[in-house]
Amino acid sequence: MRIVSFNVNGIRAAEKRGVVSFLREAGDIVCLQEIKASEAQFREVTQPPSALPPPPRLMGELSIGSHPYVYINPAEKAGYSGTAILSKYEPISVSCELPGLSLANEGRVIVLELPKFYVVNCYVPHGGTRLEIKLEYMEQLLAGLRQLEKGGKPVVLCSDMNVAHTELDLSHPKACSKITGYLPEERAVMDRFMELGFIDSYRALNPDKQAYTWDSYRSKAGQGYGYTSWNYRFDYILASETLRKSIKSADILYDRFYSDHYPVMLEIEV
């Protein structure tokens, strides 16, 4: 099974760069963060005009390419945050809540229960003036994932964590040590994810590789990967320890220029 996680930084802006054709076949499950759109707006840019019925009252009443199951959790605030999941597989259940997770009106989470595991799509707050809220949110997310695991199924988390975890995950660790995204307290919470049994799938297969998932739009305007002097690996697919042996590959899709983030991918044997 191929799982893709991608912060599109606005589905309407990304659509103008051709993202919809990518999404149609990107993976078996595609998790999107920061869609910045209502359900009607998301539908408008992802559906052919001839296939536009009235906006649905329930999630999952549209399809995109090979994904007949599409779920959207928009923020109440227009043009802000929001998440979506595209799936080839019908889930057992779908929820826009995770036990104990706050900021429900910001559309930051979707939980899919599949027969063998959960997929959690989450967009963590950036921080800055909301640093304490971010740290609390990350702790709540970790607690919620562990609560899901107690039900007997492992978890795959697709998330823009807005944290570069180690020196390998950003271009200027010393200069960024006092900047949101690489603060010691943020990295400490990321440590807790690993200590409590979650695998950073990319880092598990690439333990010593310098890598980033956020890059300036200047790079995507033709300057090439790494053009900007500030790069971060903010985007992760984490998995429960019990899935470690099922991980077949993990990568960052640097050839996809639809956002200021790059998609990340996990292939897992189910």
Side-chain angles (χ1 to χ4, degrees):
M1 178 185 290
R2 179 182 170 101
I3 300 173
V4 171
S5 180
F6 188 17
N7 181 321
V8 293
N9 195 9
I11 189 66
R12 289 171 291 174
E15 184 271 336
K16 295 176 182 178
R17 302 183 183 99
V19 76
V20 175
S21 60
F22 167 69
L23 296 180
R24 286 178 180 143
E25 300 296 337
D28 299 300
I29 296 175
V30 183
C31 295
L32 305 179
Q33 302 92 38
E34 209 172 359
I35 61 171
K36 296 183 178 180
S38 66
E39 186 163 342
Q41 290 167 333
F42 188 93
R43 171 184 293 271
E44 184 176 355
V45 299
T46 59
Q47 301 296 288
S50 61
L52 281 176
R57 295 183 179 181
L58 301 174
M59 296 188 305
E61 294 187 8
L62 69 158
S63 62
I64 296 175
S66 60
H67 307 90
Y69 306 100
V70 180
Y71 306 96
I72 306 164
N73 186 12
E76 289 182 3
K77 180 180 177 181
Y80 178 72
S81 189
T83 49
I85 295 183
L86 290 57
S87 176
K88 290 184 179 180
Y89 308 107
E90 183 177 8
I92 295 170
S93 65
V94 185
S95 176
C96 292
E97 297 179 353
L98 189 66
L101 197 63
S102 59
L103 306 180
N105 65 335
E106 295 186 7
R108 293 185 177 273
V109 68
I110 304 176
V111 180
L112 254 62
E113 181 184 3
L114 298 172
K116 297 294 185 179
F117 56 90
Y118 288 95
V119 174
V120 178
N121 182 23
C122 187
Y123 175 46
V124 171
H126 178 265
T129 58
R130 303 178 80 194
L131 178 60
E132 292 304 318
I133 292 173
K134 175 183 184 177
L135 295 174
E136 182 180 4
Y137 190 88
M138 291 176 69
E139 292 284 5
Q140 293 170 351
L141 174 60
L142 177 55
L145 298 180
R146 298 194 75 203
Q147 187 65 35
L148 288 180
E149 286 182 320
K150 289 180 180 179
K153 289 182 181 180
V155 175
V156 174
L157 171 68
C158 298
S159 182
D160 174 1
M161 299 292 286
N162 268 311
V163 179
H165 186 204
T166 74
E167 290 188 357
L168 291 173
D169 300 318
L170 74 167
S171 55
H172 293 73
K174 185 175 180 180
C176 293
S177 62
K178 296 182 180 179
I179 299 174
T180 297
Y182 192 63
L183 294 172
E185 52 266 52
E186 295 172 312
R187 297 167 61 204
V189 183
M190 288 294 291
D191 287 340
R192 282 176 44 74
F193 276 84
M194 311 310 162
E195 291 165 1
L196 294 176
F198 289 94
I199 305 159
D200 177 347
S201 60
Y202 181 81
R203 189 57 68 209
L205 299 184
N206 302 275
D208 303 313
K209 188 174 182 179
Q210 193 92 17
Y212 318 120
T213 64
W214 182 89
D215 200 1
S216 166
Y217 275 115
R218 290 178 295 178
S219 300
K220 299 166 184 63
Q223 300 293 339
Y225 169 67
Y227 173 79
T228 179
S229 59
W230 302 97
N231 309 95
Y232 304 84
R233 189 168 74 100
F234 281 157
D235 304 271
Y236 300 80
I237 301 181
L238 305 185
S240 297
E241 175 63 37
T242 54
L243 293 172
R244 182 181 292 273
K245 292 183 179 179
S246 300
I247 294 174
K248 297 305 176 185
S249 65
D251 207 352
I252 301 167
L253 307 182
Y254 288 123
D255 60 335
R256 304 297 174 172
F257 305 146
Y258 308 119
S259 167
D260 54 352
H261 292 251
Y262 294 96
V264 295
M265 179 276 294
L266 168 67
E267 288 187 346
I268 191 167
E269 183 177 330
V270 181

